[in-house]
Amino acid sequence: MTITPPALSVFETLESEVRSYCRGWPAVFDRAQGARLTDEDGHSYLDFFAGAGSLNYGHNNPVLKRALIDYIERDGITHGLDMATTAKRAFLDTFQNVVLRPRDLPYKVMFPGPTGTNAVESALKLARKVKGRESVVSFTNAFHGMSLGSLAVTGNAFKRAGAGIPLVHGTPMPFDNYFDGQVPDFLWFERLLEDQGSGLNKPAAVIVETVQGEGGINVARPEWLRALQDLCRRQDMLLIVDDIQMGCGRTGGFFSFEEAGITPDIVTLSKSISGYGLPMALCLFKPELDIWEPGEHNGTFRGNNPAFVTAAAALDAYWADGQMEKQTLARGQQVEQTMLAICGEHDTARFRGRGLVWGLEFDDPTRASAVCARAFQLGLLLETSGPQSEVVKLLPPLTITPEELDEGLRTLARAVRETA
């Protein structure tokens, strides 16, 4: 397939220089269905990006689309702040019956606003309110959002610098395997907590991703996560799991922390919780932490009722029978086999991942961008991740067919070969 970059005049002359994804994918996209997008010239692209993880069920999923169209056509509530609506009730009932009760999770549900960083901000605010302390511990290479509180617990230097002011009350600690197994887990963290001369203020909470997506597909071991939960309990700190990109089935189970057998105090969800790519976020927390005063944390667009409709439809369609987890793990094995073959052919490459999130890293940190650029020319959308954009990130829809997945993996392998 030969792709001619389109005339992007209005984007170049009117849209801000802050735009990013479109620079790597110089096409004007027009339609999308399932795991494919089509540009206005009719070129088809296989999507291994999935809206940065917000389209776990693919583009314009027909089940969710039907529910949404029916709701809109009957003049269902669109904007509802935190008013009680039939759409919100249906979502809460479904979320409780399909997700929380089968996993014996006791969480209260908060609608903090429509984005992931809204959910993180509310989690940080609640933890500080509950514990009466300001400090929050995060981890190296973490990414939690672009608003100031979320940036304060984000590791990426480029994104942090964009704040333009000091980012305070956040302290980074080494993520799992940061020292390549040479240092015992949490040695530094626990020493600082116990040393009265360390200068570390007692943290209110620790926030962690079980798989660091933007940080380079760094996968925390279950035993590391269990040890972190134990440390938090012993030291009277709340454990926050940011499941914004890795939740909603991305790693297999609905929550990415299920494999480790832990129960975080607070969990943030966004991206694919609406199922359809509509803005929606949740902050979940144990009932005893629900000490909010009415209106103490709010937001105009936390009542996106069309998102409640598609969210409930997604849970009913994909999580009521347990098949989605099995399918995702099977697709993950399919990816792993290709990764093994690619790394066997290219000894400068390494891979890591879980479920349907995988990363391919090269000794040359510039190689990942070259692979993604070549993949685009071949009709495959991939993005990079990691502090130096050194990792090729695979994030296909969970609903991708085995044939589509194989097609995309063959294209990836070709892009790697042709950029060697």
Side-chain angles (χ1 to χ4, degrees):
M1 176 171 61
T2 301
I3 297 170
T4 303
L8 300 175
S9 57
V10 70
F11 305 109
E12 294 170 343
T13 60
L14 190 60
E15 191 178 1
S16 166
E17 292 298 318
V18 79
R19 64 192 188 278
S20 60
Y21 292 116
C22 57
R23 298 179 188 272
W25 302 325
V28 178
F29 296 102
D30 182 48
R31 292 174 290 111
Q33 215 290 313
R36 295 185 186 275
L37 292 91
T38 304
D39 69 18
E40 62 183 3
D41 294 324
H43 298 123
S44 177
Y45 302 81
L46 198 54
D47 186 5
F48 272 28
F49 174 65
S54 62
L55 295 166
N56 282 3
Y57 312 106
H59 296 268
N60 288 303
N61 182 290
V63 175
L64 312 188
K65 180 166 63 175
R66 185 71 264 159
L68 179 60
I69 290 172
D70 288 347
Y71 182 76
I72 292 171
E73 286 186 337
R74 75 167 184 82
D75 291 331
I77 297 290
T78 294
H79 179 271
L81 295 165
D82 70 355
M83 293 184 290
T85 66
T86 55
K88 183 197 282 189
R89 181 175 58 202
F91 167 72
L92 287 170
D93 283 341
T94 304
F95 190 70
Q96 184 175 49
N97 293 330
V98 174
V99 175
L100 297 181
R101 280 179 178 157
R103 292 163 180 80
D104 197 26
L105 294 172
Y107 297 132
K108 297 290 288 291
V109 178
M110 175 182 177
F111 299 98
T115 71
T117 200
N118 289 134
V120 170
E121 294 284 354
S122 65
L124 298 177
K125 186 188 289 189
L126 179 60
R128 288 169 171 141
K129 179 178 173 67
V130 168
K131 292 300 182 183
R133 308 180 206 130
E134 297 175 346
S135 177
V136 173
V137 165
S138 56
F139 291 95
T140 50
N141 291 311
F143 179 79
H144 296 290
M146 298 298 284
S147 51
L148 293 181
S150 300
L151 275 179
V153 290
T154 287
N156 187 286
F158 174 73
K159 291 181 171 63
R160 288 176 63 89
I165 61 171
L167 297 171
V168 297
H169 308 308
T171 303
M173 290 292 165
F175 191 71
D176 191 14
N177 204 38
Y178 187 72
F179 294 112
D180 299 320
Q182 301 302 306
V183 178
D185 296 339
F186 308 115
L187 175 66
W188 173 243
F189 190 2
E190 195 147 20
R191 181 73 59 86
L192 291 179
L193 288 169
E194 294 176 350
D195 183 356
Q196 295 301 305
S198 70
L200 175 66
N201 293 330
K202 181 80 170 182
V206 175
I207 185 167
V208 68
E209 303 154 276
T210 67
V211 181
Q212 294 182 326
E214 299 303 310
I217 318 302
N218 305 311
V219 182
R221 294 166 296 146
E223 56 266 32
W224 187 86
L225 293 167
R226 288 191 289 269
L228 177 60
Q229 176 177 258
D230 181 62
L231 176 62
C232 287
R233 288 175 175 171
R234 286 188 285 107
Q235 295 288 346
D236 188 34
M237 303 178 297
L238 297 177
L239 177 59
I240 304 169
V241 168
D242 180 341
D243 234 5
I244 287 164
Q245 188 168 82
M246 298 303 154
C248 302
R250 176 53 57 181
T251 65
F254 187 85
F255 295 105
S256 70
F257 56 80
E258 292 180 46
E259 181 188 47
I262 64 173
T263 303
D265 298 293
I266 304 175
V267 179
T268 60
L269 288 174
S270 187
K271 291 194 182 286
S272 276
I273 185 59
S274 81
Y276 204 73
L278 300 175
M280 179 178 172
L282 304 177
C283 185
L284 313 176
F285 39 82
K286 293 179 177 178
E288 61 269 24
L289 305 181
D290 193 10
I291 63 171
W292 292 112
E293 295 291 334
E296 189 174 6
H297 187 95
N298 58 23
T300 303
F301 292 101
R302 62 206 154 114
N304 185 358
N305 281 252
F308 298 157
V309 170
T310 54
L315 295 179
D316 275 333
Y318 295 104
W319 292 99
D321 61 3
Q323 291 305 305
M324 177 56 76
E325 180 174 355
K326 295 177 183 177
Q327 176 177 301
T328 298
L329 294 175
R331 301 283 193 274
Q333 292 176 348
Q334 189 177 346
V335 176
E336 186 173 13
Q337 292 305 307
T338 296
M339 290 294 201
L340 284 166
I342 290 174
C343 292
E345 185 178 342
H346 305 270
D347 59 7
T348 61
R350 299 164 299 284
F351 74 93
R352 49 191 177 264
R354 280 179 58 196
L356 274 177
V357 52
W358 293 84
L360 183 64
E361 184 178 10
F362 302 91
D363 289 345
D364 176 1
T366 67
R367 180 88 177 277
S369 293
V371 168
C372 290
R374 181 58 181 144
F376 172 77
Q377 294 172 344
L378 297 171
L380 176 66
L381 300 186
L382 292 167
E383 72 163 332
T384 60
S385 70
Q388 302 179 73
S389 297
E390 74 277 19
V391 178
V392 176
K393 181 181 182 182
L394 280 67
L395 212 67
L398 306 185
T399 51
I400 193 168
T401 67
E403 295 75 22
E404 289 171 328
L405 185 57
D406 182 64
E407 176 188 340
L409 292 171
R410 283 188 281 108
T411 302
L412 170 64
R414 178 180 170 184
V416 172
R417 284 193 301 273
E418 294 182 358
T419 55

